[in-house]
Amino acid sequence: MFKKVHNNLALWYKENGRHDLPWRNIDDAYKIWVSEVMLQQTQVKTVLERFYFPFLETFPTLQDLALASEDEVLKKWEGLGYYTRARNLHKTAKLSKESLPLTVTELISMPGIGQSTAHAIAAFAYKTPVPILDANVKRILYRIFAVTKASDKELWKMAYAFFDEKRPYDFNQAMMDIGSIICISKIPKCQECPFEDTCKGKYDPLLYPQKKIKKARPLRKKNIIIHFYKNKLALQQRQSRFLNGLWGFSEYNQHEDINFTELLGEITHIYSHFKLHARVHLYHSYIDEHQWYSLEEIKELALSTADHKVLQLYLQKISFKV
Ligand code: SF4
């Protein structure tokens, strides 16, 4: 049914595909898995420029990752956000021992590996003839079939219906490229698209999929205090689900009384589900239930981006004094 479209896609991929991406044309399941997990919430350019190579330099193999501490893994993930991904990578590495599982079903049983990631690992590392279904591929399918809404089950059905079983590997790679270069979210380049003849959504692609109404992120106002004592700063390792395992300074809601502190400035940071606005204070005092670190030692800890902004205010303050 899609023979001509598949031929067009194969031709397009040969001439325009991003064949030089480091996780392409390799069969190392570990490296492919790391790239897939990083790319879930982050653009290719950022992953390539800042994260993929340093992570693999520190943890070149699955065994290296399994033997690392969670602190080391989080430190290497610092700045990528969505830290559950890093913790699950680590858990799966520890469970896997020698190598990642070889089938989609076994892959899905591992922490943090859903159907989409399992298919991507199986398709790219083991050349299993299964379609992939990341956010980019979903968008293409919505548009090709002119569907405004679909459940995951329906999307998988569309993915299988559209799949090129004769050239599964190139098909999947090409779909990823079309999704990130051509059928992009805001201004799809239909005239350059190998699906132009077939695509039912090309007359008004932005209708597909139907946009979700975005709720405004709630604002959380906090006071953050840097406790300073004998040339060390107090930090706590977060035990909460949010930012679990990362180190941070003491946070208080803004209605709580904060006395005898020196205001260093303010920071804002946007998380996926709220916006943080915090006043940052310096407090020369000892505090229990925290651990104390010098600036040199803090460099070794994994901090969230917001806590790095807090630390930056402190560094500005001391450099001003010097
Ligand atoms: S023709 Fe346009 S809308 Fe359809 S898949 Fe290609 S880029 Fe997307």
Side-chain angles (χ1 to χ4, degrees):
M1 183 182 169
F2 292 111
K3 195 172 166 201
K4 189 168 167 232
V5 185
H6 290 159
N7 288 341
N8 288 347
L9 182 64
L11 198 62
W12 180 90
Y13 181 62
K14 203 168 163 213
E15 287 171 6
N16 305 289
R18 295 173 301 176
H19 303 279
D20 54 349
L21 290 173
W23 46 83
R24 289 267 163 99
N25 304 313
I26 58 169
D27 55 10
D28 185 328
Y30 169 66
K31 290 180 181 165
I32 289 168
W33 171 51
V34 169
S35 73
E36 281 296 320
V37 176
M38 286 186 173
L39 290 167
Q40 278 166 13
Q41 310 282 351
T42 314
Q43 291 189 340
V44 171
K45 189 172 180 286
T46 313
V47 167
L48 269 180
E49 288 176 358
R50 293 177 45 203
F51 296 103
Y52 180 72
F53 294 110
F55 190 90
L56 289 178
E57 212 165 281
T58 309
F59 313 115
T61 65
L62 187 68
Q63 289 76 20
D64 293 315
L65 183 60
L67 290 172
S69 69
E70 188 177 285
D71 279 347
E72 289 170 309
V73 179
L74 288 172
K75 181 66 191 167
K76 223 56 217 175
W77 203 263
E78 205 178 47
L80 249 176
Y82 300 92
Y83 292 90
T84 307
R85 295 182 295 170
R87 286 193 300 276
N88 280 336
L89 272 178
H90 189 221
K91 280 183 202 160
T92 291
K94 289 206 285 190
L95 286 170
S96 300
K97 299 195 177 77
E98 296 290 302
S99 59
L100 284 172
L102 295 172
T103 66
V104 166
T105 313
E106 288 170 307
L107 283 163
I108 290 175
S109 70
M110 305 305 269
I113 301 188
Q115 191 173 358
S116 174
T117 309
H119 274 228
I121 298 168
F124 299 138
Y126 311 142
K127 312 293 182 288
T128 310
V130 287
I132 57 159
L133 191 60
D134 66 2
N136 283 339
V137 175
K138 283 182 186 174
R139 186 171 54 253
I140 300 171
L141 294 172
Y142 274 116
R143 288 174 174 169
I144 282 184
F145 292 100
V147 170
T148 52
K149 266 197 223 173
S151 63
D152 270 358
K153 198 175 162 195
E154 289 162 335
L155 282 163
W156 277 110
K157 222 171 148 185
M158 289 193 267
Y160 272 101
F162 194 60
F163 188 48
D164 184 351
E165 284 171 351
K166 288 200 186 131
R167 288 162 285 203
Y169 183 86
D170 282 0
F171 174 87
N172 281 328
Q173 299 285 17
M175 286 292 275
M176 288 179 81
D177 289 352
I178 296 276
S180 53
I181 306 171
I182 303 284
C183 193
I184 44 184
S185 178
K186 288 192 179 137
I187 313 170
K189 301 171 188 166
C190 299
Q191 281 155 8
E192 297 171 35
C193 181
F195 303 142
E196 205 198 354
D197 293 345
T198 318
C199 179
K200 292 185 183 168
K202 69 182 170 195
Y203 299 109
D204 203 347
L206 299 192
L207 288 180
Y208 314 102
Q210 190 182 66
K211 300 268 173 306
K212 289 184 188 143
I213 297 167
K214 278 193 186 161
K215 287 189 201 151
R217 287 185 181 89
L219 178 65
R220 290 189 194 167
K221 292 186 173 183
K222 300 267 183 190
N223 281 306
I224 295 179
I225 300 194
I226 302 175
H227 290 274
F228 175 88
Y229 188 71
K230 292 189 177 172
N231 275 331
K232 295 203 169 187
L233 307 182
L235 288 119
Q236 259 182 330
Q237 193 166 28
R238 291 191 166 90
Q239 304 301 322
S240 55
R241 196 160 161 252
F242 180 59
L243 299 179
N244 184 284
L246 272 81
W247 291 84
F249 297 99
S250 306
E251 282 187 9
Y252 303 86
N253 292 323
Q254 274 195 1
H255 57 77
E256 292 178 70
D257 268 352
I258 306 293
N259 295 319
F260 314 116
T261 62
E262 178 184 348
L263 183 66
L264 291 183
E266 298 185 350
I267 62 144
T268 56
H269 188 67
I270 295 175
Y271 290 103
S272 58
H273 54 299
F274 71 94
K275 184 174 175 185
L276 172 71
H277 181 218
R279 288 203 292 252
V280 179
H281 310 259
L282 182 64
Y283 194 12
H284 294 260
S285 69
Y286 187 81
I287 184 168
D288 283 334
E289 295 164 11
H290 282 61
Q291 296 189 40
W292 293 85
Y293 294 100
S294 67
L295 285 174
E296 238 2 77
E297 290 164 335
I298 289 174
K299 285 184 194 159
E300 302 302 315
L301 304 177
L303 268 60
S304 70
T305 305
D307 283 296
H308 269 294
K309 289 180 183 175
V310 172
L311 185 62
Q312 209 48 45
L313 283 179
Y314 173 74
L315 293 174
Q316 280 167 14
K317 160 88 184 168
I318 56 171
S319 68
F320 185 68
K321 272 193 171 171
V322 173

